[in-house]
Amino acid sequence: MTGRVFLVLMIGIVASATLTQWLAVNERQRTLERYRLFHVLERAEQIIETADVVRPESRAQYLAVASKGSVQLQIAADANDAAHPATEFTTALVGRLPADFKVLPLAERPEQCNQPPRQIGLLRPVQLRGVCESAKIVMTDGQVLKLSVLPSRSAPPPGHNEYAVFVPFLLCIAVLAYLVTRMVVRPMRQLAQAAKDLGNDINRPPLTLAGAAEIRQASAAFNAMQARIRQYIAQRTEMLAAITHDLQTPLTRLRLRLEKVNDADLQQKLIGDLSAMQQMIREGLDLARSMDKGGTMQKLDLDALLDSVCADAIDAGQSVELKGRAGMALLGRPLDVQRCLVNLIDNAVKYGQKAHVTVERLAGAARIRIRDEGPGIPADQLGRVFEPFFRLETSRSRASGGTGLGLTIARNIAEQHGATLSLANGEGGGLEAVLTLPEFYAGK
């Protein structure tokens, strides 16, 4: 967006400057033409009136000396040249000369009129237009002279290079456009970054209310939205915690009363259902807590954490194999990261009998692969298994103890720590979960 805004400003300003320059050049040219017409009239009047008072035998010598520049007066070689309708110049000249003189425009124009000099302008070559024609002047003594008005000479070069002025002008415009673009786009970029950071940390500091009134209003609305979301999450977590706490007492009493059931088969079924209910309540609370980004982040040793999780799983009778070392630290909440790894390993053992855990170091991250030996998951179901309470009919049922929340909780925890979690079917069978955790750098 910065480039587009800068380009639009530059095009608009340069177009305006170009149009202004074009209008200024045209107005300057019209002014020069009016001045030249006035100057030519003055010069023609002076030469004609002076030649009239010079004696006829000396008039030719005077005309040879005076007829220089763009106004030339000479004795007509042919007094019968075809006349031409009056022009603006001849009409003005008639008004200046005494009534004893006659001015007759000629159709013939000087040869120099066909090749007018050109003045090189900044944007394009500029032709110096203006009066360029011939006329017969009948003197008071009856002698006929020919007046020729030639094109003006090329204007003298300016005292400075026009490009040396225009280039700094463009540079100033570019700097101004950049500053304006940055001033406009920077608050929007900050707001976009704040929205991105909000997805990673709902408890991030609110935006500072600064800048234009519209920006402050948008920042205030963003802060209010963040406060409402944080309040909704807190209320939901508190509600689930309260429900869980309140349900523990009746469920405990129910379990005690089930001990008095005489039918052993019915008793085991009821106790199994009761255990499933308690498990669902606990995982529901874990899901709510996994979406709560509160808590203190601290530096963790990933290898030590993996060793501890795998050792606990082995002690619990699970078949878990750990290979590789990361040799790096990460920033996170210990219990949450441990919960994420435990859920992935439990999922692999529960549905694939064995969990093969492999960790490797990447550039600025560590990749943990947890692969099982199960049948895998259909490709069209890989994305849906992260949905809450979603279970595959063929392998995941309440009888197996699955509630459909384990992967959802693991993904939520991973996203809170800036990590990524994905699932893929292995080429040799089984399901592989890939967890990529960013490395912790002190001072960042």
Side-chain angles (χ1 to χ4, degrees), residues 308-374:
S308 175
V309 171
C310 293
D312 291 343
I314 294 174
D315 292 342
Q318 295 179 335
S319 180
V320 179
E321 180 186 12
L322 175 62
K323 293 182 179 180
R325 305 287 293 178
M328 63 164 253
L330 61 93
L331 186 66
R333 292 181 287 271
L335 294 180
D336 290 347
V337 178
Q338 183 180 6
R339 178 69 177 178
C340 176
L341 295 173
V342 168
N343 283 9
L344 294 176
I345 292 175
D346 286 347
N347 191 76
V349 173
K350 187 180 299 181
Y351 306 110
Q353 289 77 45
K354 187 174 182 179
H356 299 274
V357 182
T358 304
V359 59
E360 57 184 336
R361 178 75 175 272
L362 302 177
R367 182 165 56 195
I368 302 173
R369 301 178 182 271
I370 302 176
R371 186 169 181 175
D372 60 36
E373 298 178 356

Side-chain angles (χ1 to χ4, degrees), residues 250-261 267 274:
L251 288 176
T252 302
R253 290 198 303 265
L254 185 58
R255 178 178 290 274
L256 293 175
R257 291 172 180 173
L258 286 178
E259 299 295 335
K260 300 180 180 179
V261 176
Q267 183 186 52
L274 184 61

Side-chain angles (χ1 to χ4, degrees), residues 9 47 65 75 77 116 122 129 155 158 165 174 177 211 222 247 264 267 295 301 317 343 384 391 411-412 423:
L9 284 175
I47 295 177
V65 175
I75 298 175
L122 177 62
R129 300 185 297 270
V165 176
F222 183 87
L247 285 177
Q267 183 186 52
D301 187 337
N343 283 9
R384 298 194 60 193
R391 295 184 302 273
R411 186 187 60 177
N412 289 344
L423 297 178

Side-chain angles (χ1 to χ4, degrees), residues 185-262:
V185 176
R186 185 178 181 182
M188 300 179 63
R189 185 184 294 114
Q190 291 177 346
L191 191 61
Q193 184 62 39
K196 180 180 179 180
D197 295 340
L198 183 64
N200 298 325
D201 183 11
I202 191 64
N203 295 313
R204 63 176 304 279
L207 290 175
T208 303
L209 301 182
E214 294 78 5
I215 300 300
R216 292 198 303 270
Q217 184 178 3
S219 300
F222 183 87
N223 292 338
M225 178 192 69
Q226 178 183 354
R228 287 195 298 269
I229 294 176
R230 186 165 53 236
Q231 181 181 5
Y232 293 155
I233 294 176
Q235 290 177 348
R236 184 188 60 184
T237 304
E238 292 175 0
M239 179 184 66
L240 290 176
I243 293 175
T244 302
H245 179 271
D246 293 342
L247 285 177
Q248 290 298 329
T249 301
L251 288 176
T252 302
R253 290 198 303 265
L254 185 58
R255 178 178 290 274
L256 293 175
R257 291 172 180 173
L258 286 178
E259 299 295 335
K260 300 180 180 179
V261 176
N262 295 327

Side-chain angles (χ1 to χ4, degrees), residues 260-292:
K260 300 180 180 179
V261 176
N262 295 327
D263 190 338
D265 186 37
L266 177 61
Q267 183 186 52
Q268 292 302 320
K269 292 181 179 179
L270 293 175
I271 292 177
D273 291 339
L274 184 61
S275 299
M277 291 175 59
Q278 291 177 323
Q279 180 67 18
M280 290 182 62
I281 292 173
R282 284 194 297 269
E283 293 202 1
L285 182 59
D286 290 338
L287 175 63
R289 289 173 176 169
S290 70
M291 300 177 67
D292 184 8

